[in-house]
């Protein structure tokens, strides 16, 4: 078995060690003041800080020199350097001072101590003190990394809880000003275009899924608030006026199965409407086996209406039936006959006693008014459901 290395103070006489330690204790105040002066001279970010933060940094520098003195007194005894040095500062300081700035602060303090070695160490003890400072600098570097890693981990856990609260509030229809403030704390900058994308969450670690969504969002230059709720992956996107394009850019982390994008709304509070549409579309998607992936919730309006979604029924009536009704009875009659005659222009013309070109012209008007083309099979299905719902609405007795 190799013998353990002797402690630092065993490499020189006890008298030298005691003398160096005494000088170090006496000079600690001057060293801390010199370190602060050099920071003020060399670090612009330190000069720009408010007095309160500069005061805390001064205390950290003093604690670092005091911890080195104590460590030099008993180098063989394990020391909790992170507690000794950074325990004097409040937790908020890790937000006010970045890791890079902390490294610069530690480097400046060590440099000041290095320049003072010849004046502090007892004669012949300079090399031992320099070696001790080198070892201590390594330990303080590890302690700095540990402090910031713990702060980042705690902040990440807290941010995840905040994000989950916001996503759940939007999905449950309970979004309020509190949700806005939580989103702002997460960096949400209130983009003009917001939509909700829903799909099945993959198996495994949900944190990895959330991080994958964030990477995809950064690549697509989108803002996102996301979370895994049960077996669903929920993504609130901001920054794109095209919900289908946004959903396609984020679809990678979703598991197999339908992915539905709700309509674009103006802000986070209105995102509840987009979430409700996406939720209804996800439930009704099974009725359209050839649905694209991703698919818009508005493209699933007929399935949603059949499944009992009142918002989809109202949207079909208000956006298709009412405009056709206001455009004149000829359009409604022509569309109804055309759909009932298996989409035959000639058959509809015979039933209406008009020329086929008249039917063709009226069907083009239907497309202009509603945005849905009767000649397209999918659009024809949507128009038929809208006509049925409109007639039922007309047949209901007025309140």
């Amino acid at each position: 078995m190799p013998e353990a290395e002797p402690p630092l103070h065993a490499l020189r006489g006890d008298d030298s060690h005691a003398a160096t330690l005494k000088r170090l204790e006496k000079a600690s105040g001057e060293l801390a003041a010199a370190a602060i002066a050099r920071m003020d001279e060399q670090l612009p970010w330190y000069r720009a800080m408010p007095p309160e933060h500069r005061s805390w940094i001064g205390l950290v520098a003093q604690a670092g020199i005091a911890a080195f003195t104590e460590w030099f007194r008993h180098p063989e005894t394990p020391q909790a350097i992170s507690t000794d040095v950074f325990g004097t500062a409040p937790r908020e300081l890790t937000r006010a001072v970045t890791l890079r700035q902390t490294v610069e602060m530690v480097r400046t303090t060590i440099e000041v101590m290095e320049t003072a070695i010849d004046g502090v160490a007892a004669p012949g003890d300079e090399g031992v003190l320099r070696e001790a400072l080198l070892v201590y600098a390594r330990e303080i570097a590890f302690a700095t990394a540990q402090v910031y890693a713990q702060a980042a981990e705690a902040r990440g856990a807290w941010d995840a809880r905040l994000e989950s609260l916001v996503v759940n509030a939007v999905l449950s229809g309970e979004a309020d000003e509190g949700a806005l403030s939580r989103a702002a704390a997460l960096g949400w900058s209130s983009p003009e275009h917001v939509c909700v994308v829903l799909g099945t969450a993959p198996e495994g670690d949900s944190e990895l899924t959330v991080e994958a969504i964030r990477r995809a969002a950064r690549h697509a230059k989108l803002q996102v608030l996301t979370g895994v709720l049960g077996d669903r992956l929920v993504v609130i996107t901001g920054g794109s006026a095209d919900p289908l394009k946004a959903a396609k850019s984020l679809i990678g982390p979703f598991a197999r199965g339908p992915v539905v994008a709700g309509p674009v709304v103006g802000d986070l509070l209105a995102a509840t409407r987009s979430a409700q549409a996406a939720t209804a579309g996800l439930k009704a998607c099974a009725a359209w086996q050839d649905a694209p992936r991703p698919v818009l919730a508005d493209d699933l309006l007929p399935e949603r209406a059949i499944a009992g979604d009142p918002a989809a029924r109202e949207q079909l009536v208000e956006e298709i039936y009412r405009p056709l009704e206001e455009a004149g009875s000829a359009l409604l009659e022509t569309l109804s006959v055309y759909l009932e005659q298996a989409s035959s222009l000639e058959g509809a013309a015979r039933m209406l006693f008009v020329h086929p070109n008249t039917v063709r012209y009226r069907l083009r008007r239907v497309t202009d008014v509603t945005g849905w083309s009767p000649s397209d099979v999918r659009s024809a299905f949507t128009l038929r459901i809208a006509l049925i719902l409109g007639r039922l609405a007309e047949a209901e007795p007025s309140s």
Side-chain angles (χ1 to χ4, degrees), residues 275-325:
Q276 290 172 345
T279 301
L282 193 62
K283 292 179 180 178
C285 208
W288 186 10
Q289 294 185 346
D290 296 328
R293 185 178 186 270
V295 62
L296 295 175
D298 283 355
D299 289 343
L300 289 159
L301 283 174
E303 286 82 6
R304 288 166 52 193
I306 294 173
D309 180 12
R313 294 184 176 190
E314 181 180 358
Q315 189 172 344
L316 286 170
V317 172
E318 295 299 326
E319 295 184 2
I320 296 179
Y321 186 82
R322 298 298 182 203
L324 288 175
E325 188 179 42

Side-chain angles (χ1 to χ4, degrees), residues 72-92:
F72 186 73
R73 186 194 309 275
H74 303 292
E76 72 282 358
T77 304
Q79 301 285 336
I81 292 179
S82 60
T83 303
D84 292 341
V85 177
F86 298 102
T88 60
R91 184 176 299 178
E92 292 78 7

